[in-house]
Amino acid sequence: MSPTATSQFTEPAPSALLLLGRSTDLLSERGVECVGALPAASDPDLVERARAARAILGDRLFVLGHHYQRDEVIEFADVTGDSFKLAREAAARPEAEFIMFCGVHFMAESADILTSDTQQVILPDLAAGCSMADMAAINQVEDAWDVMIDAGVAEHTVPVTYMNSTAAIKAFTGRHGGTVCTSSNAHVALRWAFDKVGGVDGTGKVLFMPDQHLGRNTAVRELGLELADCVVFDPHKPNGGLTTAELTAARMILWRGHCSVHGRFSVRNVDDIRAAVPGVNVLVHPECKNEVVEAADLVGSTEYIVKALAAAEPGSTWALGTELNLVRRLAAANPDKAVHYLDSTVCFCSTMNRIDLPHLVWAMESLVAGRVVNRVVVDADDAHWARIALDQMLALPGH
């Protein structure tokens, strides 16, 4: 299948990724199946059913749509944004009885933590998970902390967990005096954490979970640490694959996790787009590997990417290293700029794309019929400690 051009956006060719545990590719972080195309557009009758159910529910329902959702779902969202923005928007709507989160499971958990007990958070498909969040199981993290205790470094270490983590990991972070962060404020969160253990220039440490790349890129690019200051804790190896000496010398203990979409971009992709499109501005997400980030022109969160494209000079040319649904939407929203996808082959966030119009219609029509389906409820103790970690993030400078 050859790429097809629409306006100034060229659709990349389809591809398939390696499945976890079935084979290996040492030069790649391809962790989930990557479909080459979305299903065909939904039947118009389904669109009308969605509109009818939405109208009946009115203000009782508040629908959140993550940037990576497909257009047919975004059409019914009251608000679009990144994960934390959407959770905060949900908390700011106490009059809404139901919160329909069109995203993935950890996002719905955060919304449940931040909203009141009288509100119910619904995920249209409970199978919509996050491969990155699943790379840090709570028992693995607790075992890792025991390793750090035995190594004598835990008392000088502050945990910082990315928003893209389970409620149980956020709760662990809260119990141990840490904070949550987003890709937008990771540098502020890390500086705060280091200040608790002697500062960036001291000897204290941060345990950063679950995305090693965001942690590494932030520490090196924003805080001035060296790559040598970072070690990777692999939960599948004894003692994380690290010696006591390595743990003692490290400043950043990075969990071995990654985003299966952003992790696939390579320096070769950057070199190829520069050769093919002279003068292109390469903008990537900080979940990309360090060598990709260093090769790019600009690096920023999803919200940063959206704002950067909107503010860019008309006639400018961009290559974006982020999820394809978002890139497509940005290309359509910025017809005065040439927008390219950084990779030559397709990779949607396959778990995010489990939320489709059939699931959304089913969930809304169930509410119309008086049935609450797929409610996401966080354990009370986990919710308490996770809220402490989230509140600490809200208390950071800039919020």
Side-chain angles (χ1 to χ4, degrees), residues 152-373:
V153 301
E155 62 184 309
H156 308 296
T157 302
V158 178
V160 175
T161 190
Y162 191 22
M163 181 62 71
N164 300 31
S165 59
T166 65
I169 301 302
K170 292 182 177 75
F172 169 91
T173 303
R175 290 187 186 99
H176 291 86
T179 187
V180 179
C181 76
T182 67
S183 53
S184 298
N185 72 356
H187 65 291
V188 179
L190 284 184
R191 192 170 294 279
W192 170 86
F194 277 119
D195 284 346
K196 291 190 67 175
V197 285
V200 174
D201 296 326
T203 58
K205 311 172 193 308
V206 168
L207 169 63
F208 191 90
M209 305 172 287
D211 180 28
Q212 61 169 305
H213 300 307
L214 176 62
R216 181 182 294 106
N217 289 328
T218 305
V220 173
R221 292 173 59 86
E222 304 285 345
L223 272 64
L225 295 179
E226 302 292 334
L227 288 175
D229 293 321
C230 306
V231 296
V232 176
F233 191 100
D234 186 342
H236 302 290
K237 294 181 178 180
N239 297 318
L242 299 170
T243 65
T244 297
E246 288 172 323
L247 283 170
T248 301
R251 303 300 310 288
M252 288 286 293
I253 302 172
L254 305 168
W255 195 261
R256 191 177 185 273
H258 63 268
C259 170
S260 297
V261 172
H262 292 116
R264 69 177 277 111
F265 297 112
S266 67
V267 173
R268 179 177 177 178
N269 293 147
V270 178
D271 292 341
D272 287 348
I273 197 71
R274 291 198 192 282
V277 186
V280 67
N281 299 285
V282 179
L283 170 54
V284 302
H285 195 281
E287 290 175 11
C288 293
K289 288 173 280 193
N290 181 255
E291 58 265 31
V292 175
V293 165
E294 292 298 332
D297 298 302
L298 295 168
V299 182
S301 66
T302 299
E303 291 292 331
Y304 176 89
I305 292 171
V306 172
K307 292 176 181 177
L309 262 291
E313 288 290 326
S316 57
T317 304
W318 296 81
L320 305 182
T322 190
E323 205 272 346
L324 183 55
N325 272 320
L326 174 60
V327 177
R328 279 175 159 176
R329 196 168 297 121
L330 289 175
N334 295 274
D336 58 337
K337 297 130 196 171
V339 178
H340 301 264
Y341 187 57
L342 182 57
D343 199 351
S344 58
T345 55
V346 173
C347 188
F348 296 100
C349 179
S350 57
T351 49
M352 186 80 72
N353 275 283
R354 289 182 180 275
I355 306 297
D356 55 11
L357 198 52
H359 282 91
L360 181 59
V361 169
W362 169 72
M364 289 196 296
E365 288 185 339
S366 295
L367 291 179
V368 171
R371 299 189 309 274
V372 178
V373 296

Side-chain angles (χ1 to χ4, degrees), residues 29-96:
E29 289 192 344
R30 300 178 170 189
V32 295
E33 184 178 7
C34 182
V35 294
L38 288 174
S42 294
D43 189 293
D45 289 343
L46 203 56
V47 175
E48 290 306 314
R49 285 170 59 185
R51 290 173 179 163
R54 187 72 187 82
I56 292 170
L57 292 166
D59 292 340
R60 297 176 64 205
L61 175 67
F62 188 60
V63 181
L64 305 170
H66 191 272
H67 283 305
Y68 296 171
Q69 289 293 344
R70 60 188 79 188
D71 288 343
E72 67 175 22
V73 171
I74 290 294
E75 178 183 348
F76 295 97
D78 294 303
V79 177
T80 60
D82 62 13
S83 59
F84 187 61
K85 174 187 174 181
L86 294 179
R88 293 188 72 180
E89 289 282 352
R93 299 298 195 284
E95 71 281 1

